[in-house]
Amino acid sequence: MADSFSSPQNAPVEGDKAWSGRFSEPVSELVKRYTASVFFDQRMAAQDIQGSLAHARMLARQGIIGASDLADIERGLEQIRGEIERGEFAWSLDDEDVHLNIEKRLTALVGDAGKRLHTGRSRNDQVATDIRLWLRDAIDQIVALLRDFQHNVLALAETHADTPLPGFTHLQVAQPVTFGHHLMAYFEMTQRDAERFLDCRRRTNRLPLGAAALAGTSYPIDRESVAAELGFEAVCENSLDAVSDRDFAIEFTAACALTMTHLSRLSEELILWMSPRVGFIDLADRFCTGSSIMPQKKNPDVPELVRGKTGRVNGHLVALLTLMKGQPLAYNKDNQEDKEPLYDAADTLVDTLRIYADMIPGIRVRAANMRAALTQGFATATDLADYLVRQGLPFRDAHEAVALAVRAAEGKGCDLPDLGRDGLADAMRAVPGAAERLGADVDAALTVEGALAARKHIGGTAPEQVRAAIERARARIS
Ligand code: ARG
């Protein structure tokens, strides 16, 4: 496409109008398409109308436009809203973006009043307002979906507050935990995610209108009243900043990327757990697909796609950061490129959370397999060391004594408890003071239930603690 700028499609179109009297020729079709955003920013039409209504009412209150102009504008915008909702609105590339499309239609409907709407306003503060209104709704929707996710996690965690499974580090069996405890880790992650969105909402919820193109306006406007009507907490304090920065959008996308990253980790676990080699869970069939060649396959496509789509959202974050980094103050057309990454980040997260809302209740837990996995990998080795410490052996000596016991068990192809007290004692002989500290109660310390129950402090995996954590979690999100 190296020659696309000399191709006929780049020539001005006969009969097309120049942008204004300032220009001697219209833009070419290709430039028109290249510079237009109406294909995608029309999804902010409702916000654009909402912002325009608030702006017009303020202009009338301040005596900048007349009462009959306001009535015409209100009537016209309501009609346009209906046309858009019914899918009857004729979006046109000739009018570049959502703002110009709506304004042109308004003028066609109500005449001069439509032309007065843009008094004291620029598309620069208009678009910044629209995005903030849109984002505020997106944040509210995402936080609500995060709460649904958390409720589902809590329900499953409660059912499995006592169900043991191996906890892993380095993907090696480490210590027993309960499945409920494991799930509650995702409650905590998504709790921080929700906080991030709510925090970002505060900074998003400021009114740019009044900044006009960049310097403010010479009309006697009342920004506070517009902010109040639109539900903004306050106005943006600096006009140059108001029209040019998109940090709130970057922050939002960062929050999306982090949430997706958390969901991607959970998805990775579901995929592993569902592998027949692991067999900890089964996912409902509606989240899986078969293979076109291998009849036995049931593939966890949905979690795999969550993992894959996380890469895409992370990419949007980098796109937005890069979009911003070279821009001098104030508004630059670069900013028009903020919308597609932003919309897609939000859409991808919303869809992912909706899918998860159904997927979590569809998890079938194979508790017997989880428990069986605990008999491999010496999951209670730390508990044996802790037992010796409680009998007075220094921790480092206990660690070494148990390492020897593990080696002996490995040699025999059995688990630590299978060695019995005598077997353990034999294995530990090389560590002075270890074997003689093994009492009759050592067996109990080596059980999975014993290991779980012992971790009974706040944040620990003891079933009673997991249940308490679930109860606190419910209070935190109610
Ligand atoms: N469509 C534009 C955007 O998304 C609206 C602002 C245009 N402003 C301008 N001065 N060209 O940013």
Side-chain angles (χ1 to χ4, degrees):
M1 294 297 276
D3 65 347
S4 66
F5 278 90
S6 58
S7 66
Q9 62 171 341
N10 201 36
V13 179
E14 212 50 49
D16 245 21
K17 290 229 297 284
W19 175 261
S20 75
R22 157 107 181 53
F23 294 82
S24 60
E25 59 172 3
V27 297
S28 70
E29 272 305 300
L30 180 59
V31 169
K32 201 191 277 180
R33 262 194 291 120
Y34 194 77
T35 54
S37 55
V38 64
F39 306 109
F40 47 84
D41 65 13
Q42 54 177 270
R43 80 183 274 180
M44 298 190 308
Q47 289 77 12
D48 199 65
I49 290 172
Q50 194 187 356
S52 286
L53 284 171
H55 177 67
R57 286 174 191 141
M58 181 277 292
L59 291 178
R61 276 197 303 276
Q62 298 298 101
I64 302 168
I65 62 170
S68 73
D69 283 333
L70 174 61
D72 287 348
I73 290 171
E74 286 181 324
R75 177 171 50 80
L77 286 176
E78 285 310 332
Q79 173 165 342
I80 292 170
R81 191 203 304 275
E83 288 173 0
I84 293 171
E85 280 170 8
R86 290 190 298 275
E88 289 164 12
F89 191 89
W91 297 102
S92 166
L93 194 60
D94 290 331
D95 299 312
E96 196 176 297
D97 57 23
V98 61
H99 325 293
L100 292 178
N101 266 265
I102 290 178
E103 190 184 327
K104 180 132 176 234
R105 176 73 183 137
L106 180 66
T107 302
L109 287 172
V110 304
D112 280 356
K115 295 188 199 164
R116 293 203 170 95
L117 171 61
H118 213 50
T119 312
R121 184 178 79 168
S122 155
R123 279 185 298 155
N124 296 354
D125 57 346
Q126 187 178 355
V127 68
T129 303
D130 293 1
I131 302 174
R132 285 170 185 260
L133 287 171
W134 184 87
L135 209 48
R136 206 172 67 182
D137 288 350
I139 289 171
D140 292 344
Q141 186 186 9
I142 288 169
V143 171
L145 286 168
L146 276 169
R147 295 302 179 220
D148 291 346
F149 174 90
Q150 291 181 312
H151 282 297
N152 282 318
V153 165
L154 289 174
L156 193 61
E158 191 160 48
T159 310
H160 294 284
D162 301 271
T163 307
L165 92 159
F168 294 87
T169 58
H170 314 273
L171 211 51
Q172 310 280 322
V173 171
Q175 293 171 355
V177 295
T178 71
F179 189 47
H181 191 57
H182 190 111
L183 289 169
M184 286 301 287
Y186 288 98
F187 175 88
E188 293 299 328
M189 290 179 233
T190 48
Q191 182 67 2
R192 291 191 296 277
D193 292 330
E195 281 170 17
R196 257 185 289 274
F197 279 111
L198 290 171
D199 199 41
C200 167
R201 192 189 195 281
R202 289 194 302 119
R203 283 180 288 277
T204 301
N205 203 20
R206 305 252 149 168
L207 175 76
L209 274 180
L214 77 163
T217 176
S218 55
Y219 298 96
I221 57 170
D222 173 8
R223 298 184 67 203
E224 273 79 15
S225 71
V226 180
E229 172 165 351
L230 293 174
F232 285 112
E233 271 169 46
V235 301
C236 298
E237 294 268 352
N238 178 284
S239 62
L240 295 158
D241 176 49
V243 293
S244 69
D245 205 355
R246 296 288 183 268
D247 58 357
F248 59 92
I250 296 173
E251 227 182 300
F252 170 82
T253 310
C256 290
L258 265 171
T259 308
M260 285 297 295
T261 298
H262 289 149
L263 296 173
S264 180
R265 296 189 71 188
L266 178 55
S267 299
E268 168 69 4
E269 298 208 292
L270 296 180
I271 293 162
L272 281 172
W273 292 341
M274 202 184 135
S275 160
R277 298 299 296 266
V278 178
F280 286 179
I281 63 155
D282 209 5
L283 272 188
D285 283 0
R286 61 185 178 282
F287 303 105
C288 303
T289 60
S291 155
S292 58
I293 175 170
M294 297 166 283
Q296 84 283 14
K297 294 298 284 293
K298 177 176 163 187
N299 298 327
D301 288 33
V302 171
E304 285 171 26
L305 274 170
V306 172
R307 202 173 53 184
K309 284 172 191 284
T310 301
R312 157 183 179 155
V313 175
N314 292 355
H316 293 324
L317 171 60
V318 175
L320 289 180
L321 284 166
T322 312
L323 175 76
M324 200 82 255
K325 72 179 271 295
Q327 288 192 50
L329 292 180
Y331 177 85
N332 301 279
K333 188 80 165 181
D334 311 39
N335 282 339
Q336 183 165 288
E337 288 290 309
D338 65 356
K339 289 170 204 64
E340 286 165 294
L342 190 60
Y343 295 157
D344 191 68
D347 290 346
T348 307
L349 178 56
V350 164
D351 284 351
T352 304
L353 286 169
R354 280 192 183 138
I355 290 213
Y356 253 107
D358 192 23
M359 195 155 68
I360 292 179
I363 292 175
R364 213 170 84 221
V365 176
R366 299 190 178 286
N369 290 350
M370 290 179 173
R371 177 169 271 282
L374 273 165
T375 61
Q376 298 146 16
F378 313 107
T380 51
T382 314
D383 297 275
L384 180 54
D386 289 346
Y387 171 89
L388 290 170
V389 168
R390 281 198 298 277
Q391 312 307 315
L393 198 64
F395 180 76
R396 280 296 156 219
D397 291 343
H399 186 282
E400 181 56 16
V402 178
L404 291 170
V406 166
R407 188 161 156 186
E410 214 163 33
K412 292 198 166 125
C414 67
D415 196 8
L416 278 179
D418 304 328
L419 286 177
R421 188 173 157 200
D422 293 343
L424 288 170
D426 276 352
M428 292 177 180
R429 290 274 177 240
V431 177
E436 48 273 41
R437 288 193 155 88
L438 292 171
D441 53 350
V442 67
D443 291 351
L446 282 177
T447 63
V448 166
E449 272 65 25
L452 291 174
R455 287 158 175 79
K456 54 178 188 272
H457 51 79
I458 186 163
T461 192
E464 77 196 56
Q465 280 297 335
V466 174
R467 267 187 277 273
I470 292 169
E471 212 165 294
R472 285 195 302 275
R474 287 223 165 90
R476 282 157 78 191
I477 60 173
S478 65

